[in-house]
Amino acid sequence: MRQKTITNKVEIVGIGLHKGVPVRMELEPLDINSGIVFYRSDLGVSIPLKPENVVDTTMATVLGMGEARVSTIEHLLSAIAAYGIDNLRISLDNEEVPIMDGSAIGYCMLLEEAGISVQNAHKKAIAIKKPIEIIEEKKFVRVEPSEKMIFDFSIDFNHPVIGNQQYKFIFSTKAYKEEIARARTFGFLHEVNYLRSKGLAKGGDLSNCIVLDESGILNKEGLRYKEEFVRHKILDAIGDMALLGMPLLGTYVSFAGSHKLNHLLTKQLLSDERAYEVIELEDKAGEESLDYAYETH
């Protein structure tokens, strides 16, 4: 299995979820072994996608280097990981990645518009050798050995629309687009009002977020999936685990996981050399383990 980048440069203009300001985002191909690199075009600062560059996980995953910040990266990274892209430059002229419709489907469409190119170098993956777990009260995130990439997530909210939800996702690009990509971010009305009082969530509205009051959802169109809430948590987890810098060959399990716990998990995993092995995916078994079914050029 070979590394991938995009074929053509593409760009969009959108709104950031928290600051609510316009941002121009441009995706550009990069050479082999370059990885995913964010570039603040307004500041002239590059920020490689690495766990040590994470500076905040309070409301989203945020990268930083010096005074430069890139926020709310998890939805875009989720789509990039789902399409098996290894090398890419993401240029932004402001702090936040555009929120699109609150899911990852818009990024999927953007990547398909750009096209995917196979490169002349083997793709590498992190194969989990032993379980690693982060626990915070009743919440936990864990990775376990597995021959496939699997995300098994559970949540439990004291709300009539959400309640207890569990979803197990066995990775493939096709399955991601059908089962995960359209799941939107969500928030509670009282939290939205509080965040706005703190200068956050300024770009959030019913077009890019599921908003819940005490008894139901305010979005007239309803839900896109029965378990849209837990599916979005999987979407986030895929994006957060992309901070590893290569695909995860293992099972991710979580109850009520968060950006914070995901970040701690990536740091703990990479700090324990006995917990993983970096392998080259060069045979049919590797292709079956990580099923990137999107047509390449």
Side-chain angles (χ1 to χ4, degrees), residues 27 69 71 73 82 100 186 266 280 291:
L27 306 183
R69 295 286 186 273
S71 178
I73 62 175
M100 310 291 272
F186 61 94
T266 59
E280 285 192 347
D291 184 9

Side-chain angles (χ1 to χ4, degrees), residues 42-199:
D42 56 325
L43 300 176
V45 177
S46 292
I47 310 175
L49 184 66
K50 296 180 179 180
E52 56 264 37
N53 290 334
V54 173
V55 295
D56 192 10
T57 55
T58 306
M59 297 302 302
T61 300
V62 183
L63 296 180
M65 186 167 288
E67 296 299 314
R69 295 286 186 273
V70 176
S71 178
T72 323
I73 62 175
E74 57 273 8
H75 300 172
L76 173 60
L77 289 178
S78 186
I80 290 170
Y83 280 72
I85 296 171
D86 304 278
N87 307 300
L88 185 70
R89 186 163 90 153
I90 304 158
S91 297
L92 302 161
D93 65 359
N94 215 310
E95 182 174 328
E96 282 190 279
V97 172
I99 189 59
M100 310 291 272
D101 72 345
S103 76
I105 192 63
Y107 304 120
C108 293
M109 296 169 64
L110 191 65
L111 293 172
E112 291 181 9
E113 177 187 340
I116 313 297
S117 290
V118 177
Q119 299 177 291
N120 190 28
H122 286 300
K123 182 187 289 287
K124 295 179 180 180
I126 289 185
I128 303 302
K129 307 300 288 184
K130 72 171 188 177
I132 295 289
E133 185 174 50
I134 303 293
I135 301 173
E136 185 181 76
E137 298 177 346
K138 295 181 179 180
K139 303 175 181 180
F140 73 86
V141 291
R142 182 172 67 246
V143 287
E144 305 169 347
S146 172
E147 294 183 356
K148 293 184 178 291
M149 186 193 300
I150 298 170
F151 287 80
D152 189 348
F153 212 116
S154 301
I155 57 174
D156 189 6
F157 282 83
N158 183 24
H159 190 280
V161 178
I162 307 178
N164 186 287
Q165 294 188 2
Q166 185 270 338
Y167 199 82
K168 185 176 183 179
F169 174 65
I170 301 175
F171 176 83
S172 77
T173 303
K174 183 176 184 292
Y176 178 87
K177 193 173 177 183
E178 293 176 352
E179 300 176 29
I180 302 298
R182 296 178 65 248
R184 294 161 292 175
T185 192
F186 61 94
F188 297 91
L189 186 60
H190 68 276
E191 292 179 345
V192 173
N193 292 336
Y194 171 77
L195 289 171
R196 286 182 173 171
S197 74
K198 297 295 183 180

